[in-house]
Amino acid sequence: MARLTKMTVEIFQRGQRIASHAYCTVKGRHTTIDAHMPAAHREVAGWNATTLTTRAAAIGPRCAVLVERLLHQRRHPQQAYRSCLGVLSLGQRYGVERLEAACAHALKHGAVSWKSVQAILKNGLDQQPQGVQRTLDLPEHENLRGAAYYQSHQLH
C-alpha cells in the first residue's frame, strides 16, 4: 500500500512502513534512493555521459561520436544510458574493431541506435569494403532485363 501527501510518498507492507521518499513536484525529476533501485539500475547509477563517452572513445572515435549522438537524442541524457551500454556491450560479442566499423557505418547512414548497430554487426555490413553495396540475387524472370538490354536498346 502507498500513502501520498504533499511532502512524502510512503510505502507500506503488512501495515509496516518499508520506504519513505520526499515527494518531488518538479516534472521529470526523480528522488529515488539508490538502495531502493532495482539491481540493474544500481549498476548504472554511477554512470554519466562522460563515463560512457570515455568508454566509447577507448573503442574508437566513431563509437564515441555515436554514443554522444545517442546521448543528445534524448531530452534527458540518462534516458539513453541503456542504449549506450547496449552499443558498448556489442564489443564483447563482436570485438572492438568490428564495433568501431559498425559505428562508422551507422553514422554514415544516419542510423544512430543500438538496434541499427546490432543489425549492422549481425548482417556483416561492417565487414564490407567502403563504397561496395550488396546486390540482391534476383530470380530469373521475363520482365527482368538487366543492364545489357538497356545498353543495346538506347533510347533517343
Side-chain angles (χ1 to χ4, degrees), residues 9-10 18 24 51 91 96-97 101 108 128 133 146:
V9 175
E10 296 175 300
I18 60 171
C24 182
T51 305
V96 294
E97 294 83 12
K108 180 179 177 183
Q128 293 182 349
Q133 295 181 354

Side-chain angles (χ1 to χ4, degrees), residues 1 4 6 10 23-25 30 32 40 42 48 50 54 57 60 64 70 80 97 99 103 115 127 142-143 145:
M1 179 177 109
L4 305 168
K6 288 185 178 186
E10 296 175 300
Y23 184 77
C24 182
T25 58
H30 303 283
T32 305
R42 280 195 306 268
N48 59 42
T50 303
T54 300
L70 282 171
E97 294 83 12
L99 177 56
C103 289
K115 277 189 165 190
Q127 297 176 317
E142 62 189 42
N143 292 333
R145 297 184 184 113

Side-chain angles (χ1 to χ4, degrees), residues 54-73:
T54 300
R55 273 194 64 195
I59 292 169
R62 299 293 180 250
C63 188
V65 169
L66 188 124
V67 165
E68 286 175 10
R69 290 197 184 160
L70 282 171
L71 291 167
H72 289 73
Q73 283 179 344

Side-chain angles (χ1 to χ4, degrees), residues 25-84:
T25 58
V26 178
K27 186 176 181 175
R29 181 84 182 229
H30 303 283
T31 59
T32 305
I33 297 170
D34 290 349
H36 296 167
M37 295 169 74
H41 290 198
R42 280 195 306 268
E43 285 180 24
V44 297
W47 292 82
N48 59 42
T50 303
T51 305
L52 293 167
T53 306
T54 300
R55 273 194 64 195
I59 292 169
R62 299 293 180 250
C63 188
V65 169
L66 188 124
V67 165
E68 286 175 10
R69 290 197 184 160
L70 282 171
L71 291 167
H72 289 73
Q73 283 179 344
R74 305 288 181 108
R75 183 173 179 193
H76 302 287
Q78 296 86 345
Q79 295 171 331
Y81 286 6
R82 287 184 65 179
S83 294
C84 293

